[in-house]
Amino acid sequence: MINVEKLSKVFGTHQAVREVSFSVAPHQTLVLLGTSGCGKTTTLKMLNRLIEPTAGRIFLNGEDIRELPVEQLRRRIGYVIQQTGLFPHYTVAENIAVVPRLLHWSATQIRQRVDELLTLLGLPVSMAEAYPAQLSGGQQQRVGIARALAADPPVLLLDEPFGALDPITRRQIRQEFRHLDVLQQKSVILVTHDLMEALELGDLICLMDQGEVQQLGTPRDLIYRPQNDFVRAFFQPHRFQAELHVATLHDLLPHLPPVAITEPTTLALPATTSVQEALERLEQAARPTPALRIATTATSSSHTTRLGLLDAFYRFQAQMAATNESAPSPR
Ligand SMILES: Nc1ncnc2c1ncn2[C@@H]1O[C@H](COP(=O)(O)OP(=O)(O)OP(=O)(O)O)[C@@H](O)[C@H]1O
């Protein structure tokens, strides 16, 4: 658990971050989102004291981080940066082992942890002896994450972790990242300026502008209950795509048109799946496009087709627009 209270940073006369506060529980991901220069990276670097705050406090599991020796703090906070920061002359195994070595783990323990992490991140164990330059960008990124997780820190910080990847790899790695078991029980804080990445990965989004928090909330809060004109304008150009990410199959259940399912195969998804993910999964599924079975409870389910899903989405969108227009503005 990490708690940030009124964190500020002034560089010379420039206020880069002003009174930023948030809390991230274990197994939650908070995304720091905003345009270039809004203070995301500065905020992130204050969390592991790569930058010292001008004011404010940070608590790691209740302890003020200023009370902890920096070395100890950094072992409890994994850190991944855009260019991975892997040491080019170290093998994959040696890169992952940097922190365990500092902690004087035995060679056997280190070897086991390296193999375990490679497997957890979907990399072959045989890759341990390769050098970073022999790996693809996506593989290097996974090794970067494995290295940050080596000593099992409760907090993981990621600064534009997928930024250097091509759009297809980026999307794939992002999907995998979301389902990584190894991140359960960790507080994850991720910096991005990519709106879809934020909506896909964030349990909470902290949208910043000029060093200040414009809104802190769930992706749904930011899309459907924007607190001010900045938040509204930030999402407006990508609104349709954004709504596909935040709407779930559960939202669409009351809007599903009655259909007789004739498709021979079905794809089953839980009702918590986003509409975006359901459409992607249907797209990737075997031909002909299967019917979709939405598991609503342990024993009951609803069926639809791709077209039925889109139809229900449009109805849901119209309903949300009507509700939001009639609702008073929160500010
Ligand atoms: N060491 C520094 N000295 C002076 N000013 C700095 C320093 N680091 C950052 N800044 C300034 O603080 C502001 C916030 O920078 P920061 O890197 O946190 O933004 P960001 O939102 O992460 O941007 P980007 O997405 O471009 O990385 C910017 O105006 C930047 O120029």
Side-chain angles (χ1 to χ4, degrees):
M1 177 87 180
I2 190 155
N3 298 303
V4 171
E5 286 179 7
K6 294 194 168 179
L7 206 56
S8 295
K9 180 68 191 180
V10 180
F11 292 112
T13 56
H14 177 64
Q15 177 111 32
V17 175
R18 186 190 300 269
E19 300 203 344
V20 168
S21 301
F22 54 75
S23 294
V24 191
H27 68 73
Q28 259 189 339
T29 297
L30 175 130
V31 174
L32 292 168
L33 174 69
T35 46
S36 185
C38 72
K40 307 180 293 291
T41 297
T42 304
T43 302
L44 193 78
K45 286 184 173 171
M46 285 192 277
L47 303 183
N48 62 359
R49 293 182 63 186
L50 281 173
I51 293 178
E52 290 294 343
T54 309
R57 301 213 291 172
I58 301 163
F59 297 92
L60 181 57
N61 292 334
E63 279 180 275
D64 189 327
I65 67 163
R66 286 173 308 187
E67 313 287 317
L68 296 169
V70 169
E71 290 303 302
Q72 214 189 87
L73 174 72
R74 302 228 175 109
R75 278 170 213 157
R76 289 169 64 184
I77 300 187
Y79 183 46
V80 183
I81 54 172
Q82 183 171 341
Q83 262 73 35
T84 74
L86 296 177
F87 300 119
H89 306 300
Y90 280 16
T91 63
V92 165
E94 286 164 347
N95 265 289
I96 296 176
V98 169
V99 173
R101 279 224 183 92
L102 286 172
L103 296 175
H104 306 295
W105 290 15
S106 72
T108 317
Q109 263 182 311
I110 291 178
R111 186 73 238 180
Q112 278 171 356
R113 184 67 178 148
V114 167
D115 288 357
E116 182 185 29
L117 282 165
L118 288 174
T119 309
L120 285 170
L121 287 159
L123 294 168
V125 171
S126 58
M127 198 170 265
E129 301 317 317
Y131 286 88
Q134 298 171 293
L135 273 50
S136 72
Q139 290 167 336
Q140 287 181 23
Q141 203 54 35
R142 280 179 240 201
V143 174
I145 295 172
R147 182 174 64 172
L149 292 171
D152 201 16
V155 176
L156 184 65
L157 309 180
L158 302 118
D159 196 349
E160 297 272 4
F162 314 118
L165 305 174
D166 64 86
I168 293 171
T169 313
R170 186 179 175 126
R171 179 145 196 78
Q172 186 198 344
I173 297 236
R174 214 156 76 190
Q175 275 182 5
E176 287 169 11
F177 182 83
R178 202 175 43 199
H179 298 295
L180 278 179
D181 283 341
V182 74
L183 296 183
Q184 301 307 318
Q185 304 309 319
K186 297 206 185 297
S187 302
V188 178
I189 299 159
L190 184 147
V191 163
T192 186
H193 61 268
D194 183 325
L195 203 142
M196 294 311 149
E197 193 158 295
L199 294 172
E200 231 173 78
L201 300 180
D203 298 306
L204 292 171
I205 295 178
C206 179
L207 178 60
M208 296 177 67
D209 182 47
Q210 297 183 34
E212 291 188 64
V213 176
Q214 295 297 318
Q215 188 165 351
L216 171 65
T218 63
R220 226 178 154 89
D221 288 337
L222 273 77
I223 300 292
Y224 291 125
R225 285 177 289 280
Q227 261 175 13
N228 58 35
D229 289 341
F230 176 86
V231 182
R232 204 169 288 115
F234 190 86
F235 288 102
Q236 197 52 42
H238 312 279
R239 190 153 183 100
F240 180 78
Q241 205 65 28
E243 288 190 42
L244 283 175
H245 276 87
V246 295
T248 63
L249 296 179
H250 184 264
D251 294 321
L252 306 197
L253 289 175
H255 305 282
L256 286 176
V259 282
I261 300 298
T262 50
E263 280 76 0
T265 53
T266 50
L267 169 72
L269 292 175
T272 49
T273 312
S274 73
V275 178
Q276 172 74 28
E277 185 173 350
L279 289 171
E280 279 170 18
R281 297 280 297 274
L282 281 168
E283 198 63 39
Q284 290 158 3
R287 303 279 159 193
T289 310
L292 178 65
R293 184 164 71 79
I294 304 169
T296 46
T297 66
T299 50
S300 65
S301 57
S302 289
H303 285 82
T304 188
T305 59
R306 189 171 189 279
L307 269 182
L309 197 67
L310 281 170
D311 192 50
F313 175 68
Y314 288 121
R315 285 166 205 262
F316 171 71
Q317 246 195 336
Q319 184 203 35
M320 291 306 280
T323 316
N324 288 340
E325 271 159 28
S326 59
S329 174
R331 257 194 206 168

